[in-house]
Amino acid sequence: MQDILSDEALDQIFRQARTYRAWLDKPVTDETLRQIYDLMKWGPTSANTCPARIVFVRSREGKERLKPALAPGNVEKTMTAPATAIVAYDLLFYEKLPKLSPHNPKMRDLYAGNPQLVESTAKRNSSLQGAYLIIAARALGLDCGPMSGFDNAKLDEEFFGAGKECAGCDQEFFPEGHVRSNFLCNLGYGDPGKLHPRAPRLEFEEACDLR
Ligand SMILES: Cc1cc2nc3c(=O)[nH]c(=O)nc-3n(C[C@H](O)[C@H](O)[C@H](O)COP(=O)(O)O)c2cc1C
């Protein structure tokens, strides 16, 4: 049996946590970004595939590379955020399975021969891992601003070498064109003065059923 988290902790992670679009002038350290990853990596994924790959964009130069792909309404909030996580997925995630699923040696070949399964597994599980990232960040006292309003193909071409020859790709982390963006998540310490009233959620009876 696990302990139930305190009401304060549940407020911080869920009930009081908001989506932020304006940021206090307080940096997010590399150490904090490492702490986020070292928590989120423990969240479950199917067959322990762990397909998410994350680029934490912090520098002005990196933000300028992001900018052309952003929907106009997402530019200001992203350019001013201390960090923006590109939550992406690796279509070759199965090559890590000998390490990640050593007890199940046949899993690699199952995925390697089935691109549709690769795509659906990578998208589903990287989305889950993105949610774990949000929860980890909130647990560490940060605020988040997730976004899907951007041009995935444009961003993938810029950051992941998708669809182009790989000039200068030795400087990139995932240059070979097999990583795709899922969503973006601004990270920092949100400015509570800039929040609009919170929208409601569905009640249990509207969203759930007990059978
Ligand atoms: C996957 C995803 C994509 C989103 N895309 C955008 C976006 O492109 N721009 C934006 O301003 N907000 C975006 N949002 C923010 C949502 O509108 C926001 O999280 C939701 O309304 C809940 O707000 P709250 O956390 O303040 O209650 C996105 C959220 C998620 C989870």
Side-chain angles (χ1 to χ4, degrees):
M1 271 297 271
Q2 309 275 345
D3 287 340
I4 295 176
L5 295 183
S6 69
D7 255 353
E8 275 172 0
L10 294 173
D11 280 348
Q12 179 170 327
I13 295 171
F14 293 105
R15 293 186 289 244
Q16 301 294 329
R18 293 294 311 276
T19 294
Y20 281 84
R21 297 180 171 88
W23 307 96
L24 301 176
D25 187 18
K26 181 176 174 189
V28 174
T29 64
D30 289 6
E31 180 55 27
T32 300
L33 296 173
R34 285 178 182 278
Q35 286 174 342
I36 291 173
Y37 181 74
D38 281 337
L39 288 175
M40 66 167 278
K41 72 182 180 187
W42 296 113
T45 54
S46 59
N48 201 31
T49 42
C50 303
R53 305 289 180 266
I54 298 149
V55 180
F56 293 106
V57 183
R58 302 150 307 147
S59 66
R60 173 57 38 190
E61 181 211 0
K63 293 290 193 70
E64 288 297 334
R65 290 176 63 198
L66 264 184
K67 199 173 173 182
L70 299 172
N74 286 332
V75 170
E76 172 79 10
K77 58 180 80 110
T78 304
M79 297 307 280
T80 53
T84 303
I86 305 173
V87 179
Y89 52 91
D90 188 353
L91 292 169
L92 294 181
F93 67 81
Y94 50 82
E95 297 295 4
K96 305 275 190 208
L97 286 180
K99 168 180 174 162
L100 295 170
S101 253
H103 50 287
N104 213 345
K106 293 214 171 98
M107 287 307 274
R108 184 221 167 263
D109 295 346
L110 174 80
Y111 287 111
N114 192 338
Q116 276 183 338
L117 182 64
V118 164
E119 176 87 16
S120 61
T121 302
K123 276 196 178 155
R124 178 182 305 114
N125 289 282
S126 66
S127 298
L128 283 168
Q129 290 184 280
Y132 306 146
L133 176 145
I134 291 172
I135 291 170
R138 288 173 169 177
L140 292 169
L142 279 88
D143 295 303
C144 299
M147 294 171 295
S148 53
F150 67 98
D151 183 330
N152 292 70
K154 202 178 241 188
L155 187 146
D156 293 351
E157 186 176 325
E158 180 62 33
F159 279 87
F160 303 128
K164 68 174 181 189
E165 288 298 311
C166 197
C169 69
D170 50 329
Q171 295 162 27
E172 301 294 348
F173 191 28
F174 305 116
E176 305 91 351
H178 53 82
V179 171
R180 300 275 184 278
S181 54
N182 185 335
F183 71 96
L184 304 175
C185 189
N186 287 330
L187 294 164
Y189 300 91
D191 183 348
K194 302 266 173 63
L195 285 173
H196 55 67
R198 197 171 205 189
R201 301 299 201 257
L202 298 178
E203 299 304 327
F204 184 90
E205 290 71 21
E206 296 175 281
C208 310
D209 194 13
L210 296 170
R211 301 255 164 165

